[in-house]
Amino acid sequence: MKKLFSALVFSALTILSVNISVAADAEKLDVNTATEQQLTTLSGVGEARAKDIIKGRPYKAKDDLVKNKIIPQNVYDKIKEKIIAKQK
């Protein structure tokens, strides 16, 4: 009985952590689909940078923004936890 209870608790915690991870990604802004207005809500991203991000699409990874010299590293460091680059 103790093993069954432990297995159930482990399963529940695993499912919970997966759901939290999916929810966290859902809250991130996708640089491949976000509008100019959505992009300008990010720290260090104004109208000009938002337009450059849109112009440089699609991105294979979010760090392509720095690799392709769309935004500087210091701006990327501020926003990297808030963005994602989903692939179609």
Side-chain angles (χ1 to χ4, degrees):
M1 187 69 160
K2 199 173 192 179
K3 287 183 181 181
L4 177 60
F5 179 74
S6 295
L8 288 173
V9 169
F10 177 76
S11 295
L13 291 174
T14 302
I15 291 169
L16 181 60
S17 68
V18 168
N19 286 339
I20 289 171
S21 176
V22 169
D25 280 350
E27 293 175 11
K28 292 182 179 183
L29 195 59
D30 184 356
V31 295
N32 283 322
T33 60
T35 65
E36 182 181 329
Q37 184 179 11
Q38 290 171 319
L39 290 167
T40 59
T41 65
L42 297 168
S43 179
V45 178
E47 193 175 311
R49 282 195 178 138
K51 287 179 181 180
D52 288 343
I53 291 170
I54 291 169
K55 188 175 167 183
R57 291 175 177 166
Y59 301 100
K60 291 182 181 180
K62 62 185 181 180
D63 64 345
D64 285 352
L65 293 172
V66 175
K67 289 178 185 176
N68 297 339
K69 299 182 180 177
I70 305 295
I71 62 172
Q73 184 69 48
N74 66 324
V75 172
Y76 176 76
D77 290 340
K78 291 179 192 176
I79 66 171
K80 66 183 175 184
E81 300 303 321
K82 298 176 183 176
I83 61 172
I84 194 167
K86 291 182 183 177
Q87 301 299 303
K88 291 185 177 188

